Short mmCIF file of all heavy atoms in Angstrom, two decimals:
data_model
loop_
_atom_site.label_atom_id
_atom_site.label_comp_id
_atom_site.label_asym_id
_atom_site.label_seq_id
_atom_site.Cartn_x
_atom_site.Cartn_y
_atom_site.Cartn_z
N LEU A 979 95.21 172.21 132.38
CA LEU A 979 96.38 172.05 131.61
C LEU A 979 97.18 173.39 131.42
O LEU A 979 98.09 173.39 130.61
CB LEU A 979 96.01 171.52 130.21
CG LEU A 979 95.31 170.15 130.16
CD1 LEU A 979 94.99 169.78 128.75
CD2 LEU A 979 96.18 169.08 130.80
N GLU A 980 96.83 174.41 132.13
CA GLU A 980 97.53 175.67 131.99
C GLU A 980 98.97 175.57 132.52
O GLU A 980 99.87 176.28 132.10
CB GLU A 980 96.79 176.74 132.77
CG GLU A 980 95.51 177.19 132.05
CD GLU A 980 94.75 178.23 132.83
OE1 GLU A 980 95.24 178.56 133.97
OE2 GLU A 980 93.69 178.78 132.36
N ASP A 981 99.22 174.69 133.48
CA ASP A 981 100.54 174.61 134.11
C ASP A 981 101.53 173.74 133.33
O ASP A 981 102.71 173.77 133.63
CB ASP A 981 100.43 174.03 135.49
CG ASP A 981 99.60 174.94 136.39
OD1 ASP A 981 99.51 176.14 136.15
OD2 ASP A 981 98.96 174.37 137.37
N PHE A 982 101.04 173.04 132.35
CA PHE A 982 101.90 172.17 131.53
C PHE A 982 102.53 172.95 130.43
O PHE A 982 101.92 173.79 129.80
CB PHE A 982 101.10 170.99 130.99
CG PHE A 982 100.67 170.01 131.96
CD1 PHE A 982 99.41 170.09 132.59
CD2 PHE A 982 101.52 168.92 132.36
CE1 PHE A 982 99.06 169.18 133.51
CE2 PHE A 982 101.09 168.02 133.28
CZ PHE A 982 99.87 168.17 133.90
N PRO A 983 103.85 172.62 130.09
CA PRO A 983 104.51 173.34 129.01
C PRO A 983 103.95 172.93 127.66
O PRO A 983 103.42 171.83 127.41
CB PRO A 983 105.97 172.88 129.14
CG PRO A 983 105.87 171.59 129.84
CD PRO A 983 104.71 171.67 130.76
N ARG A 984 104.02 173.87 126.72
CA ARG A 984 103.49 173.65 125.41
C ARG A 984 104.58 173.17 124.44
O ARG A 984 105.75 173.63 124.52
CB ARG A 984 102.83 174.92 124.82
CG ARG A 984 101.75 175.57 125.70
CD ARG A 984 100.62 174.67 125.99
NE ARG A 984 99.65 175.23 126.83
CZ ARG A 984 98.61 174.58 127.39
NH1 ARG A 984 98.51 173.28 127.15
NH2 ARG A 984 97.73 175.17 128.12
N ILE A 985 104.21 172.30 123.50
CA ILE A 985 105.14 171.86 122.50
C ILE A 985 105.27 172.98 121.42
O ILE A 985 104.27 173.56 120.94
CB ILE A 985 104.62 170.55 121.83
CG1 ILE A 985 104.45 169.50 122.87
CG2 ILE A 985 105.55 170.10 120.73
CD1 ILE A 985 103.84 168.19 122.42
N GLN A 986 106.53 173.23 121.05
CA GLN A 986 106.80 174.36 120.17
C GLN A 986 106.32 174.00 118.71
O GLN A 986 105.91 174.92 118.03
CB GLN A 986 108.25 174.70 120.15
CG GLN A 986 108.79 175.16 121.49
CD GLN A 986 108.11 176.40 121.94
OE1 GLN A 986 107.77 177.25 121.14
NE2 GLN A 986 107.93 176.56 123.30
N GLN A 987 106.43 172.76 118.27
CA GLN A 987 106.06 172.39 116.92
C GLN A 987 104.95 171.33 117.01
O GLN A 987 105.21 170.12 116.97
CB GLN A 987 107.29 171.87 116.18
CG GLN A 987 108.37 172.91 115.94
CD GLN A 987 109.56 172.38 115.18
OE1 GLN A 987 109.68 171.17 114.99
NE2 GLN A 987 110.42 173.24 114.78
N PRO A 988 103.71 171.75 117.15
CA PRO A 988 102.65 170.73 117.28
C PRO A 988 102.34 170.11 115.93
O PRO A 988 102.56 170.65 114.85
CB PRO A 988 101.45 171.61 117.75
CG PRO A 988 101.72 172.94 117.18
CD PRO A 988 103.22 173.13 117.21
N GLY A 989 101.80 168.89 115.98
CA GLY A 989 101.35 168.21 114.81
C GLY A 989 102.46 167.42 114.09
O GLY A 989 102.13 166.77 113.04
N LEU A 990 103.66 167.49 114.55
CA LEU A 990 104.73 166.70 113.91
C LEU A 990 104.79 165.27 114.34
O LEU A 990 104.53 164.96 115.50
CB LEU A 990 106.13 167.37 114.19
CG LEU A 990 106.30 168.78 113.66
CD1 LEU A 990 107.65 169.28 114.10
CD2 LEU A 990 106.17 168.81 112.14
N VAL A 991 104.98 164.40 113.43
CA VAL A 991 105.06 162.95 113.71
C VAL A 991 106.48 162.58 114.04
O VAL A 991 107.46 163.09 113.42
CB VAL A 991 104.57 162.10 112.45
CG1 VAL A 991 104.64 160.66 112.72
CG2 VAL A 991 103.17 162.50 112.08
N CYS A 992 106.60 161.76 115.03
CA CYS A 992 107.98 161.34 115.48
C CYS A 992 108.70 160.61 114.32
O CYS A 992 108.14 159.69 113.72
CB CYS A 992 107.85 160.45 116.69
SG CYS A 992 109.48 159.81 117.32
N ASP A 993 109.92 161.06 114.05
CA ASP A 993 110.69 160.40 112.97
C ASP A 993 111.21 159.01 113.34
O ASP A 993 111.54 158.22 112.42
CB ASP A 993 111.90 161.29 112.59
CG ASP A 993 111.43 162.65 112.04
OD1 ASP A 993 110.35 162.67 111.46
OD2 ASP A 993 112.16 163.66 112.21
N CYS A 994 111.30 158.77 114.62
CA CYS A 994 111.88 157.48 115.06
C CYS A 994 110.80 156.38 115.08
O CYS A 994 111.07 155.22 114.61
CB CYS A 994 112.49 157.67 116.44
SG CYS A 994 113.34 156.23 117.04
N CYS A 995 109.60 156.63 115.62
CA CYS A 995 108.62 155.59 115.81
C CYS A 995 107.36 155.81 114.98
O CYS A 995 106.49 154.90 114.95
CB CYS A 995 108.28 155.45 117.23
SG CYS A 995 107.39 156.82 117.96
N GLY A 996 107.19 156.99 114.46
CA GLY A 996 105.93 157.26 113.70
C GLY A 996 104.69 157.40 114.55
O GLY A 996 103.63 157.00 114.17
#
Side-chain angles (χ1 to χ4, degrees):
L979 300 180
E980 288 178 355
D981 299 334
F982 290 92
R984 307 300 181 189
I985 300 174
Q986 297 298 326
Q987 294 179 351
L990 295 178
V991 179
C992 179
D993 296 332
C994 186
C995 66

